[in-house]
Amino acid sequence: MSKYLGQHFLKNKAKLRKIVEALELEDADFVFEIGSGHGELTNEIVSKFKSLNLPTGGDKFKIIAIEKDKELANELKEKFSEDKNIEIIEGDALEEIKNQISKIKNANQKSKIIKNLKIVGNIPYYITGYLFRILGDLEQKPELIVLLIQKEVAERVCAKPPEMNLLAASVQIWAESKIIGYVSRDDFSPPPKVDSAIIRLLPTRIYTDKNTDLCGYYKFIKIFFKQPRKTIVNNVLKFKSLKVLSKEEIVEKLKEIGVEPNARPQDLSVGQIQKMVKFFIVMCKN
């Protein structure tokens, strides 16, 4: 096992089962597992599928488990060699996930075998932020995502007003997020320095409709949350493209879209932020 990958393997069976229960597995589900390690979570997923008493014959479920560590990947291939419903891939999930999900979705358009595509994984802390951005940028998103991540990061992702932050705004624009359980550092081998949380993400189109400029949205919130203690109107004044408007005019425009000018960025919901983005992107183009 390569130490540089920062892997901490979950050994608590009850917590593993809790992650699997959150996947709400059904007949014909397709599960993409990130970082399978020794196969602890993979085993639980297989056991859950088998407990559903699926009809015999045909592929009634499918698991693709990706593992970056070559030694662990080889062990997994040997361990699950006789199960035709499990495919082990040696590779970097951050590089493979977009390609693999595209293949799965495109194949399903022809065969209609898959009911739902779901992503699950015990995620190394150092890749969490990048993984969220990759998932957010997917054109074909899975129906459900369940991840085990650092507790502090999970709480930031699921934050609501008045505790909104850059990470929450960047994830909640494309998914409903919820913490469904906590995991102690003592439940891992080797134990990490911090506790973890199980987070459930439900991709949604509430905000990300065809008219949503996600690139513009991400650029906006990166600037908007840079100084979260400043008032909204003073944060907006930092946008060079709005220099044509006076502070008084910006105040009026904010009120028109239901945003209190003297509130702070952390006081706003994703819906309010999205209204601001749509308004200011239009202003920037004029």
Side-chain angles (χ1 to χ4, degrees), residues 243-255:
K243 294 298 183 181
V244 293
L245 296 178
S246 67
K247 184 174 182 178
E248 291 73 22
E249 288 174 317
I250 290 177
V251 166
E252 288 303 314
K253 295 296 183 182
L254 287 170
K255 288 181 178 179

Side-chain angles (χ1 to χ4, degrees), residues 117-128:
L117 170 60
K118 299 173 180 180
I119 292 179
V120 67
N122 173 12
I123 309 302
Y125 299 153
Y126 69 95
I127 72 167
T128 307

Side-chain angles (χ1 to χ4, degrees), residues 229-234 247 251 254-255 259-265 267:
R229 295 189 179 277
K230 279 192 172 185
T231 63
I232 291 170
V233 64
N234 284 332
K247 184 174 182 178
V251 166
L254 287 170
K255 288 181 178 179
V259 174
E260 171 53 49
N262 291 319
R264 302 293 192 274
D267 296 322

Side-chain angles (χ1 to χ4, degrees), residues 21 42 53-54 59 74-75 78 80 90 96-97 102 107 118 151 169 176 189 206 208 218 236 257 265-266 274 276 281:
E21 287 299 324
T42 318
N53 296 318
L54 304 179
D59 293 332
N74 288 335
E75 289 177 6
E78 183 176 350
F80 296 107
E90 179 193 336
E96 290 281 346
I97 191 167
S102 179
K118 299 173 180 180
K151 177 183 175 182
E176 296 176 7
S189 177
I206 293 176
T208 51
Y218 289 133
V236 170
I257 57 176
Q266 61 262 33
Q274 176 67 348
M276 288 182 62
I281 285 179

